[in-house]
Amino acid sequence: MEPLTAGAIAIGTVIATKALEKTGEKVGETLWDKTGKFLASLEKQSPGTITVIEKVPGQPLA
């Protein structure tokens, strides 16, 4: 492989990785915001449900 081709592939890989990271950040932020809005809406409509959800013990991740 020629050095110019290898360099272009390396640069393209870095750019693609950064673009995907930024997309992932945006998806995460949007999901976090939507979840917060949903919980606020649920709390207004059914405050008892939020209380029950908060009392449920967390599941271990492993």
Side-chain angles (χ1 to χ4, degrees), residues 13-25:
T13 301
V14 169
I15 291 172
T17 301
K18 291 295 179 184
L20 288 173
E21 286 176 1
K22 191 65 173 176
T23 301
E25 288 175 13

Side-chain angles (χ1 to χ4, degrees), residues 10-37:
I11 291 171
T13 301
V14 169
I15 291 172
T17 301
K18 291 295 179 184
L20 288 173
E21 286 176 1
K22 191 65 173 176
T23 301
E25 288 175 13
K26 288 290 186 185
V27 168
E29 288 174 8
T30 301
L31 182 61
W32 187 259
D33 290 342
K34 296 282 183 183
T35 302
K37 289 178 183 177

Side-chain angles (χ1 to χ4, degrees), residues 1-61:
M1 187 179 311
E2 295 183 28
L4 186 58
T5 304
I9 290 172
I11 291 171
T13 301
V14 169
I15 291 172
T17 301
K18 291 295 179 184
L20 288 173
E21 286 176 1
K22 191 65 173 176
T23 301
E25 288 175 13
K26 288 290 186 185
V27 168
E29 288 174 8
T30 301
L31 182 61
W32 187 259
D33 290 342
K34 296 282 183 183
T35 302
K37 289 178 183 177
F38 169 73
L39 290 175
S41 172
L42 182 62
E43 187 171 21
K44 287 179 185 175
Q45 294 179 10
S46 180
T49 303
I50 294 294
T51 304
V52 171
I53 290 172
E54 290 174 347
K55 289 182 179 180
V56 173
Q59 296 293 323
L61 297 176

